[in-house]
Amino acid sequence: MDMCGPDNRRLPLVRLAGVRLLTGFAMIWLVASGTFFLVRLMPGDPVADQYHTDLVNGMTPAQARAATALLYGFVPRQPLPRQYVHYLWQLGHLNLGQSVSYEGVPVAHIIAAAAPWTIILVLSGVLVSFAVGASAGVLAAVRRSRPSGVLLTISGGLLYGIPQFMIAILLAYLFTTLWAVLPFGAPYDVTLAPGWNGPFAWSVITHAILPIAAYALSGYGGWLLTMKSSVISVLGDDFILAAELRGMRPLTVARYVARNAMLPLLTVLALSIGFMFSGSIFIEAVFDYPGLGYSLLNSVGKRDYPLMTGTFLVITVAVILANVLADVAYQFVDPRLRRS
Amino acid sequence: VAQTAPAAPPGRAGTDGDRRRIRGRWRLLLGRPGRAAASGVAVLFALMAIAGPCLYPPNLPIDPNNIYAAPSLTHPLGTDFEGTDVLALVVTGSRYVLASAAVAAAVTAVTGLAVGLAAGYAGGPPDAFLMRLTDVVLTIPGFPLLLVLSTIWDFGSPAEMGLVLGLTGWGGLARAVRSQTLSLRERGFVEAARGLGVPGRRIVAVEILPNVAPYIAMNLMLSVTGAIYAEVGLFFLGVVPFRANNWGVMLNIAVFSANAVTSPQAVTYLLAPLVCILLLTLALTTLSGAADEWFNPRLRDL
């Protein structure tokens, strides 16, 4: 979210966090309303379809209404505003309706089962890409006039733009087929019984290496380029020169640089979390991982609207919250943004 | 910072100066080896998209005796899982990708410029409203939204695909244009025009728009490469109906139906569309630097 508008800067931190949180919730409400009306706009109106199918199958109108309400989280044949309020009320209670393709299973359960796969992989990917990308960025800034620094910058620029499906396909092809050192497809070896034992854990880890590498490589360029430009701008600041002139140890100076150069990375963190959740659709499709992206793609393919809107909502809320958190954290760690 | 003369009278009489300026602009595109290569790649892809599908029959021939053939003179890029020439697939698939990217670029440019100029010049409540809207467009994850939209809207044709990509991708451009407009609005020449009683719409079109142009190129290029990745990604995942061949369809069939990822001999089949996408976006990014200098003579180091 933006940081424009000079009047924002004079607000105390708590109020500012409150305002950001409110805009975040407003955005979530907007998206939730959008998905509600989207389902009503669907060609052939799946809600009415479901209701009529139930009627044809011999249910009484009351039964059919109840069954449809259970599936979609709102009741057909009621005035639209009533349905809308009912839908929002159910959402507030984390009731996302029931899946159509997994008959009768609540959407919230499917999402709860899928989320860990995505969250663990995305977080590992973000951590790895941050560790590698940010340190490479520092190196690229310090050695910017030497060949090694230039090479690092080029590597970041090349990887920055590459789409995730490309990275995923190339990694899979390179390391499972051309040079077959890692397993391909499914989150673990299906011949093993899931449990807390060595072979199974090993299987989960080896299957996770390539997807995590795909996330990490797709985030690497952003971290590197941001860190590099940030370190270069901090290196030119007067307080660094002053610290050097006062004869401070290089390690202390490096700490000054690091603390100040880290600030813009918070924005990259928020951006990259959104980017990774979008990318999970591709990476989970290529590597056959049963996570959120897979579940969204699957529900789109099967026209399972309750599951689709539920997954989309969860992904969007995660991205919006990441943005709000990064925004508030940014104001918190950089007092210059609060005091103008 | 030197001020660009917004309405400098072009030297119509000095044909010599004109010629020098034109030669200078050609040098922008061809002067450096990287840019010359990028221009070459862009022209090649454009020709491919225009003429390519006419060079081949509508249904490409299959050849069961030549499955996953290695590159040879008859099949420069080898063949796919049915023995179809991979080069033919790549060439016929380029039209869709480039056509929808062009539409997406146009829609992004028009929407982003309109929103950015309006918000920056009007200020106040309209600015606040338009920027909140831009925030929403920028924050909602674009690709999941496209997946959801694909269930209610069949945007398989290049025009509709470009439209939907443009409508979800104008946020970055709008914000860049707004911040430029904000600073231009306070400049002397705009104030002078306002003082002379020039209507706001004309000030925006004649005084501000030409000065915003240099900043558009980079943002537009980012949106267009994003649009290319998104459209290929949608076809790759198979959520948009396949009407004609394109690079995304090629990738979808290769990865999800033909098991090319587990076939060591399918190297060229799998890599050809990926390399084409990379070359095209790399060429566009390189040329956006030239476009910056084209509009903004101060950046030229000639």
Side-chain angles (χ1 to χ4, degrees):
Chain A
M1 263 161 269
D2 71 338
M3 278 158 222
C4 55
D7 51 341
N8 283 346
R9 298 183 187 174
R10 291 194 197 98
L11 292 173
L13 190 62
V14 180
R15 242 187 91 191
L16 206 141
V19 169
R20 287 277 176 269
L21 215 60
L22 263 179
T23 46
F25 274 115
M27 220 180 264
I28 290 170
W29 167 73
L30 212 68
V31 173
S33 312
T35 54
F36 170 82
F37 289 106
L38 204 71
V39 174
R40 305 295 308 177
L41 276 176
M42 297 281 176
D45 190 354
V47 185
D49 263 9
Q50 186 67 42
Y51 176 72
H52 289 297
T53 316
D54 288 345
L55 277 186
V56 172
N57 289 344
M59 287 190 190
T60 66
Q63 280 173 326
R65 242 193 322 273
T68 315
L70 201 60
L71 272 180
Y72 285 92
F74 53 79
V75 191
R77 289 286 170 107
Q78 269 188 348
L80 213 56
R82 283 272 304 272
Q83 291 181 30
Y84 177 61
V85 170
H86 183 244
Y87 171 76
L88 286 186
W89 178 255
Q90 294 296 323
L91 264 192
H93 294 79
L94 298 182
N95 179 5
L96 299 167
Q98 289 191 350
S99 163
V100 175
S101 56
Y102 302 86
E103 271 183 47
V105 182
V107 169
H109 288 194
I110 298 176
I111 289 175
W117 291 111
T118 302
I119 291 172
I120 291 173
L121 289 197
V122 163
L123 282 187
S124 326
V126 169
L127 278 179
V128 172
S129 68
F130 166 74
V132 179
S135 19
V138 175
L139 270 182
V142 176
R143 299 189 179 167
R144 60 189 177 282
S145 47
R146 272 184 266 169
S148 58
V150 174
L151 268 181
L152 276 177
T153 309
I154 292 177
S155 78
L158 277 181
L159 279 172
Y160 180 53
I162 297 184
Q164 282 141 327
F165 62 84
M166 198 176 279
I167 296 178
I169 295 174
L170 286 178
L171 280 180
Y173 197 52
L174 272 177
F175 294 105
T176 67
T177 301
L178 292 187
W179 184 42
V181 285
L182 287 166
F184 178 57
Y188 48 83
D189 191 344
V190 285
T191 56
L192 296 171
W196 292 108
N197 52 46
F200 181 74
W202 179 244
S203 158
V204 169
I205 291 170
T206 49
H207 279 82
I209 290 176
L210 284 181
I212 291 176
Y215 283 116
L217 279 176
S218 69
Y220 164 84
W223 291 111
L224 187 146
L225 296 179
T226 317
M227 192 64 181
K228 184 197 166 199
S229 68
S230 171
V231 168
I232 287 179
S233 76
V234 173
L235 281 177
D237 265 355
D238 289 341
F239 72 91
I240 297 297
L241 188 65
E244 277 169 357
L245 289 179
R246 274 188 317 217
M248 297 198 132
R249 277 174 296 151
L251 204 68
T252 317
V253 178
R255 233 177 50 220
Y256 285 1
V257 174
R259 276 189 66 172
N260 283 279
M262 292 292 258
L263 294 175
L265 294 191
L266 269 171
T267 322
V268 182
L269 182 67
L271 285 177
S272 75
I273 285 180
F275 182 64
M276 300 269 179
F277 270 108
S278 297
S280 73
I281 299 168
F282 295 113
I283 291 173
E284 287 169 10
V286 171
F287 291 105
D288 249 341
Y289 254 73
L292 286 175
Y294 187 86
S295 156
L296 179 62
L297 182 62
N298 215 7
S299 62
V300 166
K302 289 180 180 158
R303 295 293 188 268
D304 182 347
Y305 294 114
L307 183 58
M308 179 187 81
T309 51
T311 320
F312 176 64
L313 217 55
V314 168
I315 292 179
T316 311
V317 168
V319 172
I320 291 175
L321 285 184
N323 270 287
V324 171
L325 277 180
D327 221 27
V328 173
Y330 204 65
Q331 313 271 346
F332 185 72
V333 296
D334 191 351
R336 281 170 299 184
L337 289 178
R338 276 175 276 151
R339 277 180 249 130
S340 59
Chain B
V1 181
Q3 196 142 318
T4 25
R12 297 211 190 285
T15 44
D16 208 37
D18 276 356
R19 213 171 293 145
R20 206 177 311 133
R21 202 174 312 132
I22 290 166
R23 218 181 300 137
R25 293 197 163 175
W26 275 113
R27 215 182 305 155
L28 282 182
L29 287 178
L30 303 172
R32 295 187 210 157
R35 283 194 187 161
S39 307
V41 168
V43 169
L44 186 74
F45 276 122
L47 287 178
M48 216 189 246
I50 295 166
C54 313
L55 301 176
Y56 295 96
N59 290 313
L60 293 172
I62 61 170
D63 181 357
N65 300 321
N66 239 342
I67 288 167
Y68 286 143
S72 61
L73 273 180
T74 40
H75 302 294
L77 292 177
T79 59
D80 74 351
F81 66 105
E82 315 178 291
T84 306
D85 186 36
V86 170
L87 181 64
L89 284 169
V90 166
V91 170
T92 53
S94 62
R95 178 178 280 179
Y96 183 97
V97 177
L98 269 79
S100 49
V103 176
V107 176
T108 307
V110 170
T111 322
L113 267 177
V115 172
L117 286 173
Y121 192 73
D127 178 33
F129 170 74
L130 287 173
M131 280 304 106
R132 286 290 91 77
L133 190 69
T134 310
D135 277 346
V136 173
V137 170
L138 279 174
T139 314
I140 293 176
F143 198 77
L145 179 67
L146 286 174
L147 275 190
V148 170
L149 285 179
S150 76
T151 61
I152 53 159
W153 184 9
D154 165 18
F155 40 78
S157 75
E160 280 175 293
M161 174 66 87
L163 181 66
V164 93
L165 291 172
L167 288 180
T168 52
W170 51 266
L173 180 63
R175 194 175 277 178
V177 168
R178 171 187 175 264
S179 67
Q180 279 311 312
T181 310
L182 273 181
S183 80
L184 284 169
R185 192 175 63 165
E186 309 303 329
R187 297 275 200 86
F189 64 91
V190 175
E191 217 149 321
R194 219 179 292 140
L196 286 169
V198 179
R201 202 174 297 170
R202 198 177 149 75
I203 293 180
V204 169
V206 178
E207 310 291 345
I208 293 182
L209 185 58
N211 287 291
V212 170
Y215 303 93
I216 299 174
M218 198 68 210
N219 277 288
L220 192 59
M221 231 30 96
L222 278 178
S223 315
V224 170
T225 51
I228 292 175
Y229 295 151
E231 62 170 276
V232 173
L234 283 170
F235 280 101
F236 168 61
L237 293 177
V239 294
V240 182
F242 302 166
R243 297 250 170 66
N245 176 40
N246 70 52
W247 299 339
V249 174
M250 275 181 82
L251 279 176
N252 173 279
I253 295 172
V255 172
F256 297 116
S257 334
N259 284 327
V261 173
T262 49
S263 317
Q265 67 273 44
V267 180
T268 52
Y269 175 44
L270 195 60
L271 290 190
L274 292 179
V275 169
C276 283
I277 298 163
L278 265 192
L279 277 180
L280 177 61
T281 52
L282 214 59
L284 288 177
T285 318
T286 312
L287 288 182
S288 76
D292 265 350
E293 291 177 25
W294 181 295
F295 287 116
N296 196 351
R298 272 173 281 151
L299 292 174
R300 292 180 205 169
D301 52 15
L302 296 168

